[in-house]
Amino acid sequence: MIKQVIQGFLLIATVLLMSCGTTETKSEERPNILFIMSDDHAYQAISAYSDHLIKTPNIDRLAHEGMLFTNASVTNSICAPSRATILTGKHTHINGKIDNITPFDTTQVTFPQLFQEAGYQTAMFGKLHFGNNPKGVDDFMILPGQGSYINPRFITATGDTTITGYVTDIITDLTLDWLDKKRDPEKPFLMMYLHKAPHRSWWPSPEKFKEFLAKKYPEPETLFDDYENRGSAAKEAAMTISDEMILSYDNKVLPDAVDQAGIVDDPRNRPYFENNEYPRINAAQSAEYYPLLDSIAEDFKRNWPTMTDKERISWKYQRYMQDYLGCISSVDDNVGRVLDYLDEHGLAENTLVVYTSDQGFYLGEHGWFDKRFIYQESFKTPLLIRWPNKIEPGITNDELVQNLDFAQTFLEAAQIEAPADMQGQSIMPLLRGNMADWDRNSVYYHYYEYPGAHMVKRHYGIVTKKYKLANFYYDVDEWELYDLEADPSEMNNVYGDPEYATTVAELKEELNSLRVEYKDSPALDRKYIEQYENRRK
Ligand code: SGN
Ligand code: CA
């Protein structure tokens, strides 16, 4: 009797243990990863961060249903280097892709390869901007270089193809088509869904062009910055709305109208016009775009000649925002299409969805467009992550995380071992809400592409939640320190202020140790300068 009871008990215990085991395996099922990245999408233009410019209800869903990072940043604020860092989990001085021009060494391991080897189905659609095809993806269709907004050409494994339509819609169609027809339900997937928008020259779809042309935007406080109390780098950068934003190319004023205004003499207008999206527009698209372009030309001819310099900057800023935000509105609509697809196909629950950009962007702050600087708007990047049942919804996180951390984070989520030489840190503890396992106080930054487009000087630096210290070098040797709490707009370099002497000394020490930790050095700085100078010979 007793024996029977014990046997019965053992049987029940075994069944219970086995069922626990099954639950365990099920909850540890490897998640799908949907990595959504746009190009040059400023966090200022996502309503989950601030809704003073635009409402982005679909991207915001990821914040409401997941986690919003307010201090996410990049290690080198420019397109291809950021992508190389994301793919390799290494700083650009280590992966070698220090600027947009230097080729990417494709013998390096990228995280999609590890996913593929671990049995994931992998795909990439949209902008890669590497000059070579992606590795580790079963299927891909990528834009050549920067790609085009209208009727874009794509590179595929078997040749090129041109697709009629608007790039943001097309990249989404390709992504949804793959999920629908090629996804193997037996395997988890890694999808890299990579938008070209809202990269310069900010061409919205015809509908958004029309809709946004009617809108007016608040100006940033620093739109008329005179760069006093800063170093020479801010003064010498060629990215002002006033001088570097080209009327025909960027603001879409037809070149005849620019000529007729009689007082505008920028030799870049006509060649830029001819090399832009205009020649790609087919007859049906012309019928939609040209009435709008004509109305811009009329407004320009009527008003430009009598405007003051400041009024001209304001006029260009409005045109800039209308186009830039029109592009973002399409990105948001399309992100909504993909999130709806996940919902409708029962995929939302087991998919970790990330929305980010390859870097931030200036939306008129400091009078600028473009990026590259360690200053806030380009150093920071949007980051929103949703993973139902794993991440508590609606949480805002202000820890210092970087694009350097993405590879290790995704690998940990997928239970794949990360190579020991990756330099980031998985942010899984933060996603789980486990702050005790996170101890980073500062991050490292290094920008190289100088002399080059927009003329932002080479610099490296350290950023903490309170301070930013940077050294601009190559043709200068200048230090800048910003007190981010007292001066969040970074208008006053307090490096020479005796009150900050101790802070400077401490930050320099920490910066040096970061350089050692990440294996950066004066010798490497020189190597990359020599590499640049040899290229110019
Ligand atoms: C192009 C743009 C620049 C931009 C770089 C890099 N000029 O050269 O404004 O900074 O790309 O952008 S354009 O005349 O071609 O529009 S990145 O995002 O690819 O790094
Ligand atoms: Ca970019």
Side-chain angles (χ1 to χ4, degrees):
M1 175 67 185
I2 290 182
K3 203 176 162 199
Q4 276 172 339
V5 170
I6 291 175
Q7 273 178 345
F9 178 77
L10 280 177
L11 187 70
I12 293 168
T14 317
V15 169
L16 274 174
L17 269 175
M18 278 174 62
S19 63
C20 279
T22 331
T23 323
E24 189 69 23
T25 328
K26 194 152 192 297
S27 69
E28 292 302 316
E29 201 182 320
R30 295 186 298 176
N32 306 309
I33 311 274
L34 169 60
F35 180 73
I36 315 174
M37 184 160 75
S38 46
D39 192 346
D40 293 358
H41 191 171
Y43 60 86
Q44 308 93 294
I46 293 181
S47 43
Y49 286 92
S50 165
D51 64 359
H52 71 292
L53 291 174
I54 188 170
K55 291 253 191 301
T56 49
N58 296 296
I59 297 171
D60 290 6
R61 269 187 67 186
L62 300 176
H64 300 143
E65 297 164 13
M67 196 172 271
L68 174 83
F69 288 86
T70 55
N71 269 321
S73 62
V74 295
T75 65
N76 181 353
S77 180
I78 182 161
C79 186
S82 168
R83 288 153 203 266
T85 290
I86 290 169
L87 289 171
T88 61
K90 293 175 184 171
H91 276 278
T92 55
H93 61 271
I94 299 294
N95 67 45
K97 187 85 181 116
I98 54 156
D99 53 31
N100 273 346
I101 302 120
T102 310
F104 178 68
D105 169 5
T106 55
T107 63
Q108 300 183 83
V109 173
T110 60
F111 83 82
Q113 287 166 264
L114 301 173
F115 271 74
Q116 195 179 44
E117 282 165 16
Y120 267 72
Q121 215 188 353
T122 58
M124 179 185 287
F125 295 103
K127 180 172 170 185
L128 176 62
H129 197 196
F130 261 21
N132 34 266
N133 291 349
K135 279 191 151 178
V137 288
D138 305 334
D139 294 294
F140 71 90
M141 277 179 85
I142 55 167
L143 298 164
Q146 298 283 11
S148 307
Y149 276 103
I150 301 166
N151 308 331
R153 188 162 72 84
F154 284 86
I155 297 169
T156 76
T158 52
D160 287 15
T161 178
T162 296
I163 305 180
T164 304
Y166 184 66
V167 71
T168 307
D169 301 332
I170 296 170
I171 292 170
T172 310
D173 294 343
L174 295 172
T175 301
L176 290 177
D177 198 56
W178 187 92
L179 288 172
D180 222 34
K181 303 203 177 85
K182 290 226 169 154
R183 189 177 71 85
D184 175 353
E186 299 302 315
K187 287 181 173 181
F189 67 82
L190 164 69
M191 167 61 76
M192 311 278 287
Y193 166 46
L194 310 173
H195 284 295
K196 169 195 168 59
H199 191 270
R200 193 183 183 192
S201 55
W202 321 301
W203 269 89
S205 67
E207 312 79 70
K208 299 289 182 188
F209 198 20
K210 183 167 188 195
E211 181 188 341
F212 281 74
L213 203 46
K215 295 188 192 274
K216 198 159 170 21
Y217 294 96
E219 291 178 354
E221 274 173 26
T222 58
L223 181 62
F224 303 106
D225 196 351
D226 59 6
Y227 314 112
E228 280 305 298
N229 308 320
R230 250 64 51 79
S232 64
K235 293 185 186 73
E236 288 173 26
M239 49 195 237
T240 57
I241 291 177
S242 60
D243 296 337
E244 297 302 321
M245 192 170 271
I246 301 172
L247 282 165
S248 291
Y249 181 61
D250 294 310
N251 297 139
K252 305 168 191 74
V253 185
L254 293 168
D256 285 347
V258 176
D259 289 348
Q260 284 161 27
I263 45 167
V264 183
D265 184 23
D266 188 334
R268 295 172 298 184
N269 258 318
R270 207 164 279 275
Y272 266 74
F273 169 80
E274 281 155 12
N275 285 315
N276 201 354
E277 301 285 338
Y278 301 90
R280 307 189 66 81
I281 301 175
N282 65 27
Q285 292 158 341
S286 283
E288 297 189 272
Y289 276 120
Y290 271 84
L292 303 168
L293 292 167
D294 288 338
S295 77
I296 295 169
E298 284 313 309
D299 180 53
F300 176 82
K301 282 191 286 186
R302 202 166 42 244
N303 294 307
W304 188 268
T306 57
M307 282 179 187
T308 63
D309 287 349
K310 275 194 168 178
E311 285 167 344
R312 286 178 179 171
I313 293 173
S314 295
W315 190 90
K316 288 170 96 176
Y317 167 76
Q318 293 299 335
R319 283 272 45 260
Y320 168 34
M321 283 302 94
Q322 290 162 352
D323 296 346
Y324 181 90
L325 297 168
C327 290
I328 283 173
S329 184
S330 280
V331 170
D332 188 64
D333 289 351
N334 279 287
V335 166
R337 289 175 63 202
V338 176
L339 296 182
D340 287 349
Y341 183 93
L342 297 184
D343 288 341
E344 287 155 13
H345 292 80
L347 291 167
E349 190 157 335
N350 198 33
T351 301
L352 185 159
V353 183
V354 179
Y355 186 88
T356 191
S357 169
D358 60 347
Q359 15 61 211
F361 212 68
Y362 295 96
L363 305 182
E365 298 90 356
H366 305 292
W368 289 331
F369 62 99
D370 215 67
K371 53 260 180 176
R372 298 158 194 272
F373 275 111
I374 194 173
Y375 307 140
Q376 295 299 63
E377 291 81 3
S378 50
F379 165 71
K380 285 196 191 180
T381 197
L383 180 63
L384 303 89
I385 306 183
R386 182 184 81 177
W387 191 6
N389 305 321
K390 300 278 179 180
I391 303 178
E392 205 184 317
I395 304 282
T396 298
N397 186 302
D398 70 348
E399 291 306 313
L400 300 165
V401 302
Q402 291 199 289
N403 58 350
L404 180 69
D405 305 320
F406 292 174
Q408 279 151 281
T409 304
F410 304 154
L411 290 166
E412 188 182 342
Q415 301 153 51
I416 304 169
E417 198 176 333
D421 61 351
M422 282 191 172
Q423 296 183 303
Q425 207 173 315
S426 164
I427 65 171
M428 280 300 292
L430 299 178
L431 299 179
R432 289 195 195 101
N434 195 351
M435 307 301 284
D437 288 347
W438 186 260
D439 59 356
R440 184 188 276 161
N441 296 317
S442 59
V443 289
Y444 182 61
Y445 183 86
H446 200 153
Y447 172 79
Y448 295 86
E449 198 179 280
Y450 179 88
H454 301 294
M455 296 302 278
V456 172
K457 291 186 195 294
R458 285 167 197 249
H459 57 294
Y460 61 86
I462 178 173
V463 181
T464 68
K465 284 187 188 169
K466 282 182 82 163
Y467 298 106
K468 182 172 294 178
L469 176 77
N471 179 219
F472 290 83
Y473 69 97
Y474 181 64
D475 53 349
V476 290
D477 178 11
E478 292 177 9
W479 286 88
E480 296 185 18
L481 173 72
Y482 295 95
D483 180 334
L484 300 176
E485 282 174 358
D487 176 27
S489 302
E490 300 166 316
M491 299 294 278
N492 286 301
N493 169 19
V494 291
Y495 180 77
D497 184 336
E499 263 188 40
Y500 288 91
T502 319
T503 303
V504 165
E506 285 167 4
L507 286 170
K508 276 195 177 173
E509 207 180 308
E510 204 173 328
L511 174 59
N512 281 333
S513 58
L514 284 181
R515 270 170 68 91
V516 171
E517 179 189 335
Y518 289 128
K519 302 187 170 60
D520 203 0
S521 63
L524 257 188
D525 300 348
R526 281 193 299 276
K527 177 190 134 180
Y528 286 126
I529 288 171
E530 266 167 39
Q531 179 181 294
Y532 166 81
E533 285 171 352
N534 289 336
R535 198 161 65 204
R536 288 224 296 189
K537 275 180 196 157

